[in-house]
Coordinates of all heavy atoms in Angstrom, one line a residue:
Y281 N 6.9 0.1 23.2 CA 5.8 -0.1 22.3 C 5.1 1.2 21.9 O 5.0 2.1 22.7 CB 4.7 -1.0 22.9 CG 3.4 -0.9 22.1 CD1 3.2 -1.7 21.0 CD2 2.4 -0.1 22.6 CE1 2.0 -1.6 20.2 CE2 1.2 0.0 21.9 CZ 1.0 -0.7 20.7 OH -0.2 -0.6 20.0
G282 N 4.7 1.3 20.6 CA 4.0 2.5 20.2 C 3.8 2.6 18.7 O 4.8 2.3 18.0
P283 N 2.7 3.0 18.2 CA 2.5 3.3 16.8 C 3.1 4.6 16.4 O 3.2 5.5 17.3 CB 1.0 3.2 16.6 CG 0.5 3.7 17.9 CD 1.4 3.2 19.0
T284 N 3.4 4.8 15.2 CA 3.8 6.1 14.7 C 2.8 7.2 15.0 O 3.2 8.4 15.3 CB 4.1 6.1 13.2 OG1 4.9 5.0 12.9 CG2 4.7 7.3 12.7
E285 N 1.6 6.9 15.0 CA 0.5 7.9 15.3 C 0.6 8.4 16.7 O 0.0 9.5 17.1 CB -0.9 7.2 15.2 CG -1.2 6.9 13.7 CD -0.7 5.6 13.2 OE1 0.2 5.0 13.9 OE2 -1.2 5.1 12.2
A286 N 1.4 7.8 17.6 CA 1.6 8.3 19.0 C 3.0 8.7 19.2 O 3.5 8.7 20.3 CB 1.2 7.2 20.0
T287 N 3.7 9.2 18.2 CA 5.1 9.7 18.3 C 6.0 8.6 18.8 O 6.6 8.8 19.9 CB 5.2 11.0 19.1 OG1 4.2 11.9 18.7 CG2 6.5 11.7 18.9
V288 N 6.2 7.6 18.1 CA 7.2 6.5 18.2 C 6.9 5.6 19.4 O 6.8 4.4 19.2 CB 8.6 7.1 18.4 CG1 9.6 6.0 18.5 CG2 8.9 8.1 17.4
C289 N 6.7 6.1 20.6 CA 6.6 5.3 21.8 C 5.5 5.8 22.7 O 5.4 6.9 23.0 CB 8.0 5.3 22.5 SG 8.0 4.3 24.0
A290 N 4.7 4.8 23.1 CA 3.5 5.2 24.0 C 3.7 4.5 25.4 O 3.2 5.0 26.4 CB 2.2 4.8 23.4
T291 N 4.3 3.3 25.4 CA 4.5 2.6 26.6 C 5.9 2.0 26.7 O 6.5 1.8 25.7 CB 3.5 1.4 26.8 OG1 3.8 0.3 25.9 CG2 2.0 1.8 26.5
M292 N 6.4 1.8 27.9 CA 7.7 1.2 28.1 C 7.7 0.3 29.3 O 7.0 0.6 30.3 CB 8.8 2.2 28.3 CG 9.1 3.0 27.0 SD 10.5 4.1 27.3 CE 10.0 5.2 28.6
Q293 N 8.4 -0.8 29.3 CA 8.7 -1.7 30.4 C 10.2 -1.7 30.6 O 10.9 -2.2 29.7 CB 8.1 -3.1 30.2 CG 8.4 -4.1 31.3 CD 7.6 -3.8 32.6 OE1 6.5 -3.3 32.5 NE2 8.2 -4.0 33.7
V294 N 10.7 -1.1 31.7 CA 12.1 -1.0 32.0 C 12.5 -2.2 32.9 O 11.9 -2.3 34.0 CB 12.5 0.3 32.6 CG1 14.0 0.4 32.9 CG2 12.1 1.5 31.6
I295 N 13.5 -2.9 32.6 CA 13.9 -4.1 33.4 C 15.4 -3.8 33.7 O 16.2 -3.6 32.8 CB 13.8 -5.4 32.6 CG1 12.3 -5.6 32.3 CG2 14.4 -6.6 33.4 CD1 12.0 -6.7 31.2
E296 N 15.7 -3.9 35.0 CA 17.1 -3.7 35.5 C 17.7 -5.0 35.9 O 17.1 -5.7 36.8 CB 17.1 -2.7 36.6 CG 16.5 -1.3 36.3 CD 17.5 -0.4 35.6 OE1 18.7 -0.9 35.3 OE2 17.2 0.8 35.3
G297 N 18.8 -5.4 35.3 CA 19.5 -6.5 35.9 C 19.0 -7.9 35.5 O 19.5 -8.9 36.1
G298 N 18.1 -8.0 34.6 CA 17.7 -9.4 34.2 C 16.2 -9.7 34.6 O 15.6 -9.0 35.5
L299 N 15.7 -10.7 33.9 CA 14.3 -11.1 34.1 C 14.2 -12.1 35.2 O 15.1 -12.9 35.4 CB 13.7 -11.6 32.8 CG 13.2 -10.6 31.7 CD1 12.9 -11.4 30.5 CD2 12.0 -9.8 32.2
D300 N 13.1 -12.2 35.8 CA 12.7 -13.3 36.7 C 12.6 -14.5 35.9 O 11.9 -14.6 34.9 CB 11.4 -12.9 37.5 CG 11.1 -14.0 38.5 OD1 11.5 -15.1 38.4 OD2 10.3 -13.6 39.4
E301 N 13.2 -15.6 36.3 CA 13.2 -16.9 35.5 C 11.8 -17.4 35.4 O 11.5 -18.2 34.5 CB 14.1 -17.9 36.2 CG 15.6 -17.6 36.0 CD 16.0 -17.6 34.6 OE1 15.5 -18.4 33.8 OE2 16.9 -16.8 34.2
A302 N 10.9 -17.1 36.4 CA 9.5 -17.6 36.3 C 8.6 -16.8 35.4 O 7.5 -17.2 35.1 CB 8.9 -17.5 37.7
Q303 N 9.1 -15.7 34.9 CA 8.3 -14.8 34.0 C 8.1 -15.5 32.6 O 9.1 -15.9 32.0 CB 9.0 -13.5 33.8 CG 8.1 -12.4 33.2 CD 8.7 -11.0 33.4 OE1 9.4 -10.7 34.4 NE2 8.3 -10.1 32.5
S304 N 6.9 -15.6 32.2 CA 6.6 -16.3 30.9 C 6.4 -15.4 29.7 O 6.3 -15.9 28.6 CB 5.4 -17.2 31.1 OG 4.3 -16.5 31.5
S305 N 6.2 -14.1 30.0 CA 6.0 -13.2 28.8 C 6.5 -11.8 29.2 O 6.8 -11.5 30.3 CB 4.5 -13.1 28.5 OG 3.8 -12.6 29.6
L306 N 6.7 -11.0 28.2 CA 7.3 -9.7 28.4 C 6.2 -8.6 28.2 O 5.7 -8.5 27.0 CB 8.4 -9.5 27.4 CG 9.3 -8.2 27.5 CD1 10.0 -8.2 28.9 CD2 10.3 -8.1 26.4
P307 N 5.8 -7.9 29.2 CA 4.8 -6.9 29.1 C 5.3 -5.7 28.3 O 6.5 -5.4 28.2 CB 4.5 -6.6 30.5 CG 5.7 -6.9 31.3 CD 6.3 -8.0 30.6
I308 N 4.4 -4.9 27.7 CA 4.8 -3.7 27.1 C 4.8 -2.5 28.0 O 5.2 -1.4 27.7 CB 3.8 -3.3 25.9 CG1 2.4 -3.1 26.4 CG2 3.8 -4.4 24.8 CD1 1.4 -2.5 25.3
G309 N 4.5 -2.8 29.3 CA 4.7 -1.7 30.3 C 3.5 -0.8 30.4 O 2.4 -1.0 29.8
G310 N 3.7 0.3 31.1 CA 2.7 1.3 31.3 C 3.0 2.5 30.4 O 4.0 2.6 29.7
P311 N 2.0 3.5 30.3 CA 2.1 4.6 29.5 C 3.3 5.5 29.9 O 3.6 5.6 31.1 CB 0.8 5.4 29.6 CG 0.2 4.9 30.9 CD 0.7 3.5 31.1
I312 N 4.0 6.1 29.0 CA 5.0 7.1 29.3 C 4.4 8.4 29.8 O 3.2 8.5 29.8 CB 5.9 7.4 28.1 CG1 5.1 8.2 27.0 CG2 6.5 6.1 27.5 CD1 5.9 8.7 25.8
A313 N 5.2 9.2 30.4 CA 4.7 10.5 30.9 C 3.9 11.3 29.9 O 4.3 11.3 28.7 CB 5.9 11.4 31.5
N314 N 2.8 11.9 30.3 CA 1.9 12.7 29.5 C 1.2 11.9 28.4 O 0.8 12.4 27.4 CB 2.7 13.8 28.9 CG 3.3 14.8 29.9 OD1 2.6 15.2 30.9 ND2 4.6 15.1 29.8
A315 N 1.2 10.6 28.6 CA 0.4 9.7 27.7 C -0.7 9.0 28.5 O -0.5 8.8 29.7 CB 1.3 8.7 27.0
R316 N -1.8 8.6 27.8 CA -2.9 7.9 28.4 C -3.1 6.6 27.6 O -3.1 6.7 26.3 CB -4.1 8.7 28.6 CG -4.0 10.0 29.4 CD -5.3 10.7 29.5 NE -5.8 11.1 28.3 CZ -5.5 12.2 27.6 NH1 -4.5 13.0 28.1 NH2 -6.0 12.5 26.4
V317 N -3.3 5.5 28.2 CA -3.6 4.3 27.5 C -4.8 3.6 28.1 O -4.9 3.4 29.3 CB -2.3 3.3 27.5 CG1 -2.7 2.0 26.9 CG2 -1.1 3.9 26.9
Y318 N -5.7 3.2 27.2 CA -6.9 2.6 27.6 C -7.1 1.3 26.8 O -6.7 1.2 25.6 CB -8.2 3.4 27.3 CG -8.1 4.8 27.9 CD1 -7.8 5.9 27.1 CD2 -8.4 5.1 29.2 CE1 -7.7 7.2 27.6 CE2 -8.4 6.3 29.7 CZ -8.1 7.4 28.9 OH -8.0 8.7 29.4
I319 N -7.6 0.2 27.4 CA -8.0 -1.0 26.7 C -9.5 -1.0 26.7 O -10.2 -1.1 27.7 CB -7.5 -2.2 27.5 CG1 -6.0 -2.1 27.8 CG2 -7.7 -3.5 26.7 CD1 -5.1 -1.9 26.6
L320 N -10.1 -0.9 25.4 CA -11.5 -0.7 25.3 C -12.1 -1.9 24.4 O -11.4 -2.5 23.6 CB -11.8 0.6 24.6 CG -11.1 1.9 25.2 CD1 -11.5 3.1 24.4 CD2 -11.5 2.0 26.6
D321 N -13.4 -2.1 24.6 CA -14.1 -3.0 23.8 C -14.6 -2.4 22.5 O -14.3 -1.2 22.2 CB -15.3 -3.7 24.6 CG -16.3 -2.7 25.0 OD1 -16.4 -1.6 24.5 OD2 -17.1 -3.0 26.0
G322 N -15.4 -3.1 21.7 CA -15.9 -2.6 20.5 C -16.8 -1.4 20.6 O -17.0 -0.7 19.6
Q323 N -17.4 -1.2 21.8 CA -18.3 0.0 22.0 C -17.5 1.1 22.7 O -18.2 2.1 23.1 CB -19.4 -0.5 22.9 CG -20.5 -1.3 22.2 CD -20.0 -2.7 21.8 OE1 -19.4 -3.4 22.7 NE2 -20.2 -3.1 20.6
G324 N -16.2 1.0 22.8 CA -15.5 2.1 23.4 C -15.5 2.1 24.9 O -15.1 3.2 25.5
E325 N -15.9 1.0 25.5 CA -15.9 1.0 27.0 C -14.7 0.2 27.5 O -14.3 -0.8 26.9 CB -17.2 0.3 27.4 CG -18.5 1.1 27.1 CD -18.6 2.4 27.8 OE1 -18.1 2.5 28.9 OE2 -19.1 3.3 27.2
P326 N -14.2 0.6 28.7 CA -13.0 -0.1 29.3 C -13.4 -1.5 29.6 O -14.5 -1.8 30.1 CB -12.8 0.7 30.5 CG -13.4 2.1 30.3 CD -14.6 1.8 29.5
V327 N -12.5 -2.4 29.3 CA -12.7 -3.8 29.6 C -12.1 -4.2 31.0 O -11.1 -3.5 31.5 CB -12.1 -4.8 28.6 CG1 -12.7 -4.5 27.2 CG2 -10.6 -4.6 28.5
P328 N -12.6 -5.2 31.7 CA -12.0 -5.6 33.0 C -10.6 -6.1 32.8 O -10.3 -6.6 31.7 CB -13.0 -6.6 33.5 CG -14.2 -6.4 32.7 CD -13.8 -5.9 31.4
I329 N -9.8 -6.2 33.9 CA -8.5 -6.8 33.8 C -8.6 -8.2 33.4 O -9.5 -9.0 33.9 CB -7.8 -6.7 35.2 CG1 -7.5 -5.2 35.5 CG2 -6.5 -7.5 35.2 CD1 -7.0 -5.0 36.9
G330 N -7.8 -8.6 32.4 CA -7.8 -10.0 31.9 C -8.7 -10.2 30.7 O -8.6 -11.3 30.1
V331 N -9.5 -9.2 30.3 CA -10.4 -9.4 29.2 C -9.7 -8.7 28.0 O -9.3 -7.5 28.1 CB -11.7 -8.7 29.5 CG1 -12.6 -8.8 28.2 CG2 -12.4 -9.5 30.6

Side-chain angles (χ1 to χ4, degrees):
Y281 163 80
T284 305
E285 290 86 343
T287 312
V288 186
C289 179
T291 73
M292 292 189 297
Q293 177 71 33
V294 180
I295 298 164
E296 301 278 1
L299 281 171
D300 185 336
E301 289 298 323
Q303 194 166 332
S304 60
S305 62
L306 187 64
I308 62 172
I312 66 172
N314 301 311
R316 300 183 300 277
V317 174
Y318 307 100
I319 310 299
L320 308 178
D321 61 20
Q323 286 70 49
E325 295 295 327
V327 298
I329 293 175
V331 175

